[in-house]
C-alpha cells in the first residue's frame, strides 16, 4: 500500500547567488522549479509550501516562518504545524530532477528501517537534508530541544537538527542536484534537452500544463505515430494521436483506455498499409487466362520490373 505522508517544501530564502531572483519561479523545461518539485511529491496527503503564496500547478497549503527569512529550521517548524502524517518528505524548491520514484524510494527505505530519516547524498557524498523523508515525531522532538536550548529556531543551521538524528543515506546525484547559481540553471536546462531525456521531460511538462495525471506509455504513442505516418501519410501521425487521445478521454481517460484506443488505431493503420501492397486485380477464371503467351499468341511477355505491381501497365 502507498505510504501516507505529507510534503513540506521550503521555498523561501534570498537566493543571493542568483542575484536575488525569484528562484522557485525560475523555469526549467517550461515549468517553474517549484512546480517541478510539487509534481514529484504529488502523492502527498498534504503539501505545505513555506513561502509567500503564488500560483502553483496544484493546490497546496501555505505557511510562513517566524520571522520571515528566519532560516530552514524556522521554516520547517512552520510547515510541521500543518502536518499530521507520521512521515514527512522535506524538500527544497530548487530540485529540477527530483521525481516520484525517488520520493517513493525514500519513504520505503524509511518505513523498513528504524532510522529517524532517510536522505539523499550528492555526487560528492555530501548529505542533502532537504531531499529527505523523516519521521515527524523525531523532527518535532529535535525542534523542541533546540527551541528550548536557544530560545528561538530563527537563524539556526539545519545541521543542528539533522546532527542529532539517526539517518540513513541513499546516493542520489541526479535527484539531489539543486540550482543555487545561474550556471546550475543553465546546466539543468541543457540536460533536459539531451536526447535521452527530452521526450520524458516534454511529456511531463505537457501533463503539468494541461492538468493531466496519467502514466503515458510514450512507446505506444510513438509506434502509432510511426505507423500512421508510414502507412497513410505524414500528417496522419499528429491527427491520429489527437483522435486517440480524444477517444481515450471519452472511454475513461486512464492508461488502459489510451492503450486500447492506440491498439485499434494501429490495427487500422496496418490494414490501410496492407491494401497498398495487395494485388487489387480480381483473379480471372482459368478458361479466360492465356495458356503460355500473350493475347496475340506471340510467346511469353517480358518479366515485370522488380517492385512493379502485377496489374501495372
Amino acid at each position: 500500500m502507498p505510504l501516507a505522508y505529507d510534503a513540506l517544501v521550503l521555498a523561501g530564502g534570498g537566493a543571493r547567488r542568483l542575484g536575488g531572483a525569484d528562484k522557485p519561479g525560475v523555469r526549467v523545461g517550461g515549468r517553474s522549479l517549484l512546480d517541478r518539485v510539487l509534481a514529484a511529491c504529488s502523492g502527498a496527503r498534504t503539501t505545505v509550501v513555506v513561502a509567500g503564496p503564488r500560483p502553483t500547478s496544484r493546490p497546496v497549503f501555505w505557511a510562513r516562518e517566524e520571522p520571515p527569512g528566519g532560516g530552514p529550521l524556522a521554516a520547517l517548524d512552520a510547515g510541521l504545524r500543518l502536518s499530521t502524517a507520521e512521515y514527512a518528505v522535506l524538500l527544497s524548491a530548487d530540485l529540477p530532477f527530483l521525481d516520484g520514484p525517488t520520493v517513493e524510494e525514500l519513504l520505503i527505505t524509511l518505513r523498513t528501517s528504524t532510522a529517524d530519516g532517510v536522505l539523499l547524498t550528492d555526487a560528492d557524498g555530501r548529505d542533502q537534508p532537504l531531499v529527505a523523508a523523516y519521521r515527524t515525531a523525531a523532527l518535532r522532538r529535535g525542534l523542541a530541544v533546540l527551541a528550548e536550548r536557544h530560545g528561538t529556531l530563527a537563524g539556526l543551521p539545519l545541521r543542528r537538527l539533522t546532527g542529532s538524528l539517526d539517518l540513513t543515506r541513499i546516493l542520489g546525484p541526479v535527484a539531489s542536484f539543486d540550482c543555487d547559481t545561474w550556471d546550475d540553471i543553465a546546466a539543468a536546462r541543457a540536460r533536459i534537452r539531451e536526447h535521452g531525456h527530452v521526450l520524458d521531460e516534454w511529456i511531463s511538462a505537457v501533463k503539468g500544463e494541461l492538468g493531466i495525471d496519467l502514466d503515458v506509455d510514450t512507446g505506444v504513442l510513438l509506434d502509432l505515430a510511426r505507423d500512421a505516418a508510414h502507412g497513410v501519410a505524414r500528417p496522419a501521425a499528429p491527427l491520429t494521436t489527437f483522435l486517440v487521445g480524444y477517444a481515450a478521454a471519452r472511454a475513461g481517460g486512464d492508461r488502459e483506455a489510451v492503450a486500447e484506443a492506440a491498439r485499434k488505431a494501429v490495427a487500422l493503420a496496418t490494414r490501410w498499409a496492407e491494401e497498398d501492397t495487395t494485388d487489387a486485380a480480381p483473379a480471372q477464371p482459368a478458361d479466360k487466362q492465356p495458356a503460355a503467351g500473350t493475347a496475340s499468341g506471340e510467346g511469353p511477355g517480358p518479366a515485370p520490373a522488380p517492385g512493379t505491381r502485377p496489374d501495372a501497365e
Side-chain angles (χ1 to χ4, degrees), residues 219-309:
V220 168
L221 295 180
L222 289 174
D223 287 346
L224 166 61
R226 177 202 62 205
D227 292 343
H230 291 176
V232 184
R234 291 182 64 86
L239 295 174
T240 305
T241 51
F242 165 78
L243 293 172
V244 162
Y246 181 76
R250 294 189 62 185
D254 57 12
R255 182 185 179 93
E256 289 72 22
V258 174
E260 177 62 13
R263 184 194 64 77
K264 291 180 178 179
V266 167
L268 174 61
T270 300
R271 296 196 304 269
W272 184 290
E274 286 175 347
E275 290 180 3
D276 192 47
T277 59
T278 301
D279 184 4
Q284 294 184 352
D287 59 351
K288 298 293 187 179
Q289 296 181 3
T294 62
S296 61
E298 295 178 353
T308 304
R309 287 177 46 159

Side-chain angles (χ1 to χ4, degrees), residues 3-309:
L3 189 62
Y5 73 96
D6 290 341
L8 310 178
V9 182
L10 308 190
R16 291 184 297 274
R17 297 173 69 183
L18 288 177
D22 175 25
K23 182 161 69 169
V26 173
R27 295 187 179 276
V28 173
R31 291 183 293 166
S32 71
L33 286 171
L34 176 57
D35 278 343
R36 296 179 74 90
V37 172
L38 292 179
C41 61
S42 61
R45 187 178 65 181
T46 299
T47 299
V48 182
V49 179
V50 185
R54 66 175 64 223
T56 54
S57 58
R58 64 182 182 86
V60 300
F61 291 94
W62 297 94
R64 195 63 173 163
E65 72 272 25
E66 288 294 337
L73 286 185
L76 171 57
D77 181 63
L80 274 175
R81 295 177 187 276
L82 298 180
S83 173
T84 58
E86 181 180 358
Y87 304 97
V89 172
L90 180 61
L91 305 169
S92 61
D94 60 351
L95 303 166
F97 304 124
L98 183 67
D99 57 15
T102 300
V103 170
E104 184 178 354
E105 182 182 9
L106 289 169
L107 290 165
I108 291 174
T109 304
L110 179 59
R111 179 171 58 180
T112 55
S113 74
T114 59
D116 295 324
V118 179
L119 53 76
L120 293 188
T121 58
D122 64 17
D124 297 320
R126 292 187 296 261
D127 287 353
Q128 299 297 317
L130 293 182
V131 198
Y134 298 95
R135 300 182 192 274
T136 53
L139 293 178
R140 289 191 171 94
R141 285 195 303 269
L143 289 173
V145 169
L146 290 172
E148 182 178 0
R149 183 180 302 163
H150 297 278
T152 180
L153 296 173
L156 296 179
L158 190 58
R159 63 178 178 273
R160 290 288 183 90
L161 172 65
T162 57
S164 67
L165 300 178
D166 176 22
L167 300 176
T168 297
R169 291 158 176 83
I170 298 174
L171 179 63
V174 176
S176 65
F177 179 88
D178 57 357
C179 293
D180 291 328
T181 68
W182 286 113
D183 285 343
D184 294 336
I185 297 292
R189 288 171 172 169
R191 185 180 189 277
I192 66 171
R193 286 169 172 79
E194 293 174 358
H195 176 69
H197 308 286
V198 65
L199 284 181
D200 287 340
E201 288 287 349
W202 172 248
I203 292 297
S204 296
V206 172
K207 289 193 296 184
E209 192 72 14
L210 300 180
I212 299 172
D213 185 14
L214 176 64
D215 183 13
V216 178
D217 189 335
T218 55
V220 168
L221 295 180
L222 289 174
D223 287 346
L224 166 61
R226 177 202 62 205
D227 292 343
H230 291 176
V232 184
R234 291 182 64 86
L239 295 174
T240 305
T241 51
F242 165 78
L243 293 172
V244 162
Y246 181 76
R250 294 189 62 185
D254 57 12
R255 182 185 179 93
E256 289 72 22
V258 174
E260 177 62 13
R263 184 194 64 77
K264 291 180 178 179
V266 167
L268 174 61
T270 300
R271 296 196 304 269
W272 184 290
E274 286 175 347
E275 290 180 3
D276 192 47
T277 59
T278 301
D279 184 4
Q284 294 184 352
D287 59 351
K288 298 293 187 179
Q289 296 181 3
T294 62
S296 61
E298 295 178 353
T308 304
R309 287 177 46 159

